[in-house]
Amino acid sequence: MDSTVIRPISVILILFASVLDQTDCANILAVFPHIGKSHQDVFQPLVEELATRGHHVTTVSFFPRKKPLANFTDIVIDANDLPPMLYNSLPIDLFNGANPIKDFTIISSIGIQCCESVLGSSNVQKLLNSNEEFDLIITELFTVDCFLGFVHRFKAPFIAMSSSVLLPGNSDRFANSDNPAIVPNLFLTYSDKMSYRERFFNTVATFIMKSVRRYYYDVAAERIARKYFGTSMPPLEEIAKNTSLVLVNTHPSLNRPRPQVPAVIDVGGMHIKDAKKLPADLEDFMNSSTNGVIVFSMGSTLLTHTFPDDKRKMIMEVFSELPQNIVCKWESDSLPNKPNNVKIMKWLPQRDILAHPNVVAFVTHGGLLGLTEATFEAVPIIGIPMYGDQGTNVRAFEASGAGVFLSYSTINKQSFKQALLTVVNDKRYKENAQRLSKAYRERILPPLETAVYWTEYVLKFGGADHLRVASVHMPWYQYLLLDVLLGASVIMFLILYVVYIVARRITTIILPYLTIITVHKKGD
């Protein structure tokens, strides 16, 4: 065919494809109202990728983008009466003596505080009073559900995202099993294989947290939501049951296998991007570390430099006795009695450091993002969990044979040094980390593409009711088969009763004859 004919046809096809692509673009609202920066780090890659693919994304959060992005609009939450943002802000001692119930109540209370402050903020009010229309809403599934009022306001299908394993009670809306015999409560420090004592406390803690959530925090959230979304809003519990699916920042290789319904999708590692080149001075330090490098960081929320003096001295004494070099996140300008083999930095390019081949171990608080990066790069860990899901995360890593769990309250020089020597010198930890990394990386699709696929899947079908199991709308007594057991018990009782009546009747008839026979035999 003549090239002069082909060229116009090509242009027409390109324009046609462009029009088709535009018709497939959706208007998406993402609501991420938690004050923790690490949560936003999980969610941000998805909404940015959706914008890159042509969807129009509006995000409500405390952490707007620093640079503009096409098709992306940030609505900054301008509330003033909130706790400090959970980003390089909390001292270590704040969690000294913390316990699971206290963790749960603190996190839930922050959720309630965010409800009132966020929904009452001027920028959010402008959105609620606007004429905007959305094809899909993305919400964070974490503490309370007051922000599900956005679903009622804009009448759109919605999906949820979770930056951690699901909290107690959050599985119920999907009828997803969180049987405490095999699913550890994320506020505890258990793995999936629990002793009798652990299963007992796991069951009790889960029951208490679910009950307090349902009859206290959810009631408060319902009251606040009705204040801002109107009394015609259905109960938040009913809205929650219509969630199309949830994208969870987990993977069974790292977070341990657990039963999941089709609406629960693993997308763990979605935030991981290709490693970047390290700054020159850090690169030189890493390359010159012939005995390897140990990375020490307590995450993006905790301030490492606030370690109590006794703990700091103990940690540094251990580091000074090791042949490895140490890269340490330390927010202060100076570190008293800093060993020569320790390099301090106020902020670590953690993902990029862990990708360096000289890294031999990672000392961490057990945050899921850091453990995900360690898993991805096959780095064994020493975990010192402080709060939240960190204990469960470290136990899961330990269960894979690629890490050691240390308790902050009991850690001492001997236990810390022994853990480091074991992880660094015992080849099995590195081998298990490599095995874990291979399993974690092996997917049908990369996690971000998986998240995009399922998001667009819900857009395509205007929801995903067909992924919802029947037990979502089933009364609890039916789900537990208590009505069936009652019916079976009644039938069994009736059968036994009939047998009793028949046996008694037969006995009444036969007994006189037996008596006569017995008397005759005695007479003979």
Side-chain angles (χ1 to χ4, degrees):
M1 184 181 291
D2 188 358
S3 61
T4 57
V5 177
I6 294 177
R7 193 173 293 114
I9 293 177
S10 300
V11 172
I12 292 171
L13 289 175
I14 290 172
L15 290 173
F16 181 67
S18 176
V19 170
L20 284 179
D21 184 60
Q22 289 177 4
T23 57
D24 288 338
C25 292
N27 202 18
I28 300 172
L29 172 65
V31 183
F32 304 135
H34 186 60
I35 58 177
K37 177 64 166 57
S38 60
H39 290 226
Q40 187 73 15
D41 291 340
V42 175
F43 309 142
Q44 196 72 12
L46 174 60
V47 290
E48 289 180 355
E49 181 64 22
L50 291 170
T52 301
R53 298 191 180 205
H55 299 291
H56 301 281
V57 180
T58 300
T59 301
V60 178
S61 79
F62 290 102
F63 306 99
R65 283 179 51 84
K66 295 180 180 179
K67 297 180 180 179
L69 178 68
N71 302 321
F72 195 96
T73 302
D74 272 309
I75 295 179
V76 184
I77 299 171
D78 55 339
N80 296 318
D81 53 343
L82 284 171
M85 294 297 105
L86 300 182
Y87 183 61
N88 257 10
S89 59
L90 300 183
I92 297 289
D93 257 2
L94 182 65
F95 299 97
N96 191 19
N99 61 71
I101 299 299
K102 182 179 178 181
D103 279 0
F104 168 75
T105 55
I106 289 174
I107 289 175
S108 300
S109 298
I110 289 174
I112 291 295
Q113 194 171 356
C114 286
C115 286
E116 183 68 53
S117 300
V118 172
L119 293 176
S121 68
S122 60
N123 288 342
V124 172
Q125 280 297 304
K126 289 176 184 177
L127 173 64
L128 293 177
N129 294 320
S130 70
N131 295 320
E132 287 280 359
E133 294 182 356
F134 296 100
D135 303 301
L136 179 71
I137 296 176
I138 304 175
T139 64
E140 178 176 6
L141 178 57
F142 188 50
T143 55
V144 292
D145 289 321
C146 57
F147 300 102
L148 291 183
F150 282 96
V151 176
H152 168 69
R153 165 63 182 83
F154 293 108
K155 303 294 189 294
F158 70 107
I159 65 174
M161 296 185 73
S162 177
S163 62
S164 66
V165 296
L166 297 179
L167 271 69
N170 284 348
S171 286
D172 296 347
R173 68 196 62 197
F174 307 103
N176 193 58
S177 175
D178 57 355
N179 187 334
I182 58 172
V183 178
N185 185 314
L186 95 167
F187 290 102
L188 302 179
T189 56
Y190 302 152
S191 180
D192 55 337
K193 296 178 181 178
M194 293 173 272
S195 65
Y196 170 79
R197 177 181 175 277
E198 290 172 337
R199 284 186 290 113
F200 179 87
F201 284 109
N202 192 51
T203 302
V204 171
T206 300
F207 175 78
I208 291 173
M209 291 179 192
K210 281 188 173 185
S211 299
V212 173
R213 163 78 184 268
R214 181 181 183 90
Y215 297 108
Y216 181 72
Y217 290 109
D218 283 354
V219 172
E222 184 87 28
R223 183 178 63 253
I224 296 170
R226 291 191 179 280
K227 174 182 175 181
Y228 289 101
F229 295 106
T231 55
S232 63
M233 182 190 75
L236 293 174
E237 183 180 9
E238 293 304 313
I239 298 177
K241 290 180 180 180
N242 290 314
T243 312
S244 293
L245 55 84
V246 59
L247 304 171
V248 190
N249 184 35
T250 55
H251 190 267
S253 62
L254 170 59
N255 304 98
R256 314 301 296 167
R258 57 186 65 197
Q260 292 185 172
V261 298
V264 178
I265 314 294
D266 289 313
V267 291
M270 190 170 61
H271 74 288
I272 295 180
K273 299 178 181 179
D274 292 338
K276 299 176 183 177
K277 185 175 178 60
L278 297 173
D281 62 327
L282 180 57
E283 182 76 32
D284 292 342
F285 182 81
M286 301 288 291
N287 291 338
S288 65
S289 304
T290 55
N291 293 315
V293 176
I294 296 171
V295 182
F296 179 51
S297 172
M298 298 300 283
S300 63
T301 299
L302 294 171
L303 295 169
T304 313
H305 80 275
T306 63
F307 265 108
D309 287 344
D310 59 333
K311 287 280 200 295
R312 173 185 55 78
K313 291 177 181 178
M314 177 272 294
I315 291 171
M316 293 305 149
E317 283 179 11
V318 171
F319 286 162
S320 69
E321 297 171 6
L322 297 176
Q324 289 80 23
N325 284 338
I326 317 297
V327 175
C328 175
K329 177 178 177 283
W330 193 262
E331 302 81 14
S332 178
D333 292 326
S334 62
L335 170 59
N337 301 316
K338 182 181 78 66
N340 293 330
N341 64 333
V342 174
K343 180 179 179 63
I344 62 172
M345 301 178 67
K346 291 186 177 181
W347 183 257
L348 298 185
Q350 182 175 281
R351 187 269 174 276
D352 308 322
I353 293 176
L354 291 174
H356 196 282
N358 284 352
V359 174
V360 295
F362 179 30
V363 182
T364 171
H365 66 312
L368 189 52
L369 271 65
L371 287 188
T372 297
E373 292 159 4
T375 300
F376 196 80
E377 297 298 343
V379 177
I381 67 111
I382 296 92
I384 311 172
M386 301 300 296
Y387 65 93
D389 64 338
Q390 296 163 10
T392 304
N393 297 339
V394 174
R395 284 297 186 196
F397 214 98
E398 184 182 55
S400 69
V404 172
F405 180 105
L406 292 177
S407 171
Y408 176 78
S409 61
T410 60
I411 189 174
N412 55 40
K413 181 177 179 180
Q414 181 181 358
S415 63
F416 186 48
K417 185 174 182 179
Q418 183 59 46
L420 280 166
L421 292 175
T422 299
V423 168
V424 171
N425 296 327
D426 189 336
K427 294 182 179 179
R428 290 176 296 179
Y429 284 89
K430 182 63 176 180
E431 292 170 355
N432 289 332
Q434 290 171 333
R435 187 179 301 109
L436 177 62
S437 179
K438 289 179 181 178
Y440 192 84
R441 288 171 174 248
E442 189 67 30
R443 320 260 184 118
I444 297 174
L445 285 174
L448 182 55
E449 290 187 28
T450 300
V452 170
Y453 168 80
W454 283 108
T455 302
E456 294 183 333
Y457 181 93
V458 173
L459 277 168
K460 179 179 181 179
F461 290 99
D465 293 352
H466 49 283
L467 297 180
R468 193 173 303 136
V469 296
S471 49
V472 167
H473 298 288
M474 187 179 289
W476 62 272
Y477 61 87
Q478 291 183 11
Y479 179 71
L480 295 175
L481 291 176
L482 296 183
D483 54 341
V484 174
L485 291 174
L486 177 62
S489 298
V490 170
I491 293 172
M492 182 62 67
F493 173 79
L494 291 175
I495 291 174
L496 292 175
Y497 181 74
V498 170
V499 170
Y500 167 76
I501 294 298
V502 171
R504 186 176 179 180
R505 186 70 175 172
I506 293 173
T507 302
T508 303
I509 296 172
I510 295 178
L511 189 59
Y513 293 101
L514 292 176
T515 303
I516 295 172
I517 293 172
T518 302
V519 170
H520 279 299
K521 284 186 177 181
K522 287 183 178 181
D524 293 339

